[in-house]
Amino acid sequence: MLESEVKTENALAESDAHKAANLKEDANNRHTDYTNFESQVAQDDAFASRDRKLADSAEEAMNSKRAAAEALKAQAKATVFAAERKGLAARRKAEHKEKALLAKAGADDAAAAADDQQAKQFDAEIDALETDARKLNKEIAADEAEATQDEEDAAAASAAAGKAREAADAFLVKARYYKSAQTTTTTTAATTTTTATTTTSTTTPTQIGGIAVTWDEDAEDYTGQVGRTVSFSCPGGGKAFDVWGTGPFPDDSSVCTAGVFAGLITFAKGGVVTFTMAGKVSSFPGATRNGVTTEPSEDWPSTFTFAKN
């Protein structure tokens, strides 16, 4: 009985030992797996750190490219603005030149018509002088005939004939003069080219408040300074220069002339005008006020306005 129990206990002990060995082996396997897992986690952390650095570098490069793109965009916008302004100015100059040429052509036509009228008048005067000369020649011939018939009156007739001949010669000389003048006038009208001369006002500006300027001064020195207010002092005895619109005005308009148009000052007395810079306007009508005629214009990127506009 005791021996049987001992065998049973031994069998149980061997079984427990075998289970313990299996548990130890299983624990060792799990430790190995845990060690491998930690190594994999460390490797993944290294890859993640590398990826974060690459992402940061890529983001930094993207920000640099974005900044460069914004700079190029701003530069392109400035170039377009300058090109637009330059194109509008060129178009406006071309329109002015065309108007000047049309005005000159009209003046030339009027001068040619006047020359034709004068030429006709010269022809009529020449015809009259030639008729008078023929009459005088007939009178001379009659006087000479009477002189041959009456010897006593020969001296008087000869003197009268001489005077008549002198008068006839004078008329003939005058006729030739008018004919020569007609020829010279006609030739000159056909061949002379008139050169237009632009007269610039030499009036010295006097300071009566604000910035002393001449009448051709515009506001282009303040282009783009929207909201800025400036005062110009315009001298007395001024003359009109180019103005577009009726208010606001393009910044290349004469400020003093625009002030006369707006009724703020006069050409004779001059005065101080205060204007404020403004932005782009799509179109400008023309009008005539206070002796100033302004021209219409297309859109313009920079303008100015007076307090009353």
Side-chain angles (χ1 to χ4, degrees), residues 52-115:
R52 280 194 296 272
K53 289 182 180 179
L54 291 175
D56 291 341
S57 298
E59 183 178 3
E60 183 178 354
M62 182 62 68
N63 290 335
S64 297
K65 291 182 179 179
R66 186 178 292 109
E70 290 296 330
L72 289 174
K73 182 178 179 181
Q75 183 179 0
K77 185 176 181 180
T79 302
V80 170
F81 178 86
E84 179 186 32
R85 184 184 184 90
K86 188 174 182 180
L88 290 173
R91 188 182 301 114
R92 182 171 292 169
K93 288 181 180 179
E95 290 174 353
H96 270 244
K97 186 174 181 180
E98 181 181 2
K99 290 180 180 179
L101 291 174
L102 290 175
K104 181 180 180 297
D108 289 343
D109 290 341
D115 290 339

Side-chain angles (χ1 to χ4, degrees), residues 35-183:
T35 302
N36 292 335
F37 178 75
E38 284 186 336
S39 177
Q40 183 66 40
V41 168
Q43 185 177 3
D44 290 343
D45 286 342
F47 287 154
S49 176
R50 183 198 63 184
D51 291 342
R52 280 194 296 272
K53 289 182 180 179
L54 291 175
D56 291 341
S57 298
E59 183 178 3
E60 183 178 354
M62 182 62 68
N63 290 335
S64 297
K65 291 182 179 179
R66 186 178 292 109
E70 290 296 330
L72 289 174
K73 182 178 179 181
Q75 183 179 0
K77 185 176 181 180
T79 302
V80 170
F81 178 86
E84 179 186 32
R85 184 184 184 90
K86 188 174 182 180
L88 290 173
R91 188 182 301 114
R92 182 171 292 169
K93 288 181 180 179
E95 290 174 353
H96 270 244
K97 186 174 181 180
E98 181 181 2
K99 290 180 180 179
L101 291 174
L102 290 175
K104 181 180 180 297
D108 289 343
D109 290 341
D115 290 339
D116 289 341
Q117 184 64 30
Q118 189 175 16
K120 291 178 181 179
Q121 184 177 354
F122 285 161
D123 288 339
E125 292 178 358
I126 291 170
D127 291 339
L129 289 173
E130 289 178 347
T131 300
D132 292 340
R134 285 194 293 270
K135 290 180 179 179
L136 288 172
N137 285 330
K138 289 181 180 180
E139 292 176 1
I140 291 170
D143 290 340
E144 289 177 348
E146 290 179 2
T148 57
Q149 293 176 6
D150 192 349
E151 291 181 356
E152 293 180 354
D153 295 333
S158 178
K163 291 181 180 180
R165 189 175 290 108
E166 289 177 358
D169 291 339
F171 275 108
L172 290 174
V173 169
K174 188 174 182 181
R176 285 194 295 272
Y177 169 79
Y178 276 112
K179 183 175 289 186
S180 176
Q182 176 197 11
T183 302

Side-chain angles (χ1 to χ4, degrees), residues 139-293:
E139 292 176 1
I140 291 170
D143 290 340
E144 289 177 348
E146 290 179 2
T148 57
Q149 293 176 6
D150 192 349
E151 291 181 356
E152 293 180 354
D153 295 333
S158 178
K163 291 181 180 180
R165 189 175 290 108
E166 289 177 358
D169 291 339
F171 275 108
L172 290 174
V173 169
K174 188 174 182 181
R176 285 194 295 272
Y177 169 79
Y178 276 112
K179 183 175 289 186
S180 176
Q182 176 197 11
T183 302
T184 302
T185 301
T186 302
T187 302
T188 302
T191 61
T192 300
T193 301
T194 303
T195 302
T197 304
T198 302
T199 304
T200 303
S201 173
T202 58
T203 303
T204 302
T206 56
Q207 180 76 25
I208 52 177
I211 302 172
V213 296
T214 53
W215 281 79
D216 60 344
E217 186 71 18
D218 55 35
E220 286 189 325
D221 288 343
Y222 309 98
T223 296
Q225 302 180 34
V226 176
R228 178 169 180 176
T229 298
V230 184
S231 294
F232 277 2
S233 174
C234 307
K239 61 176 293 185
F241 284 87
D242 291 339
V243 176
W244 293 267
T246 59
F249 306 92
D251 63 358
D252 61 345
S253 297
S254 163
V255 175
C256 293
T257 306
V260 175
F261 175 86
L264 302 178
I265 58 174
T266 63
F267 288 116
K269 295 182 179 180
V272 176
V273 292
T274 300
F275 60 94
T276 301
M277 296 304 297
K280 181 176 181 179
V281 174
S282 60
S283 63
F284 301 86
T288 299
R289 298 175 190 166
N290 302 315
V292 175
T293 298

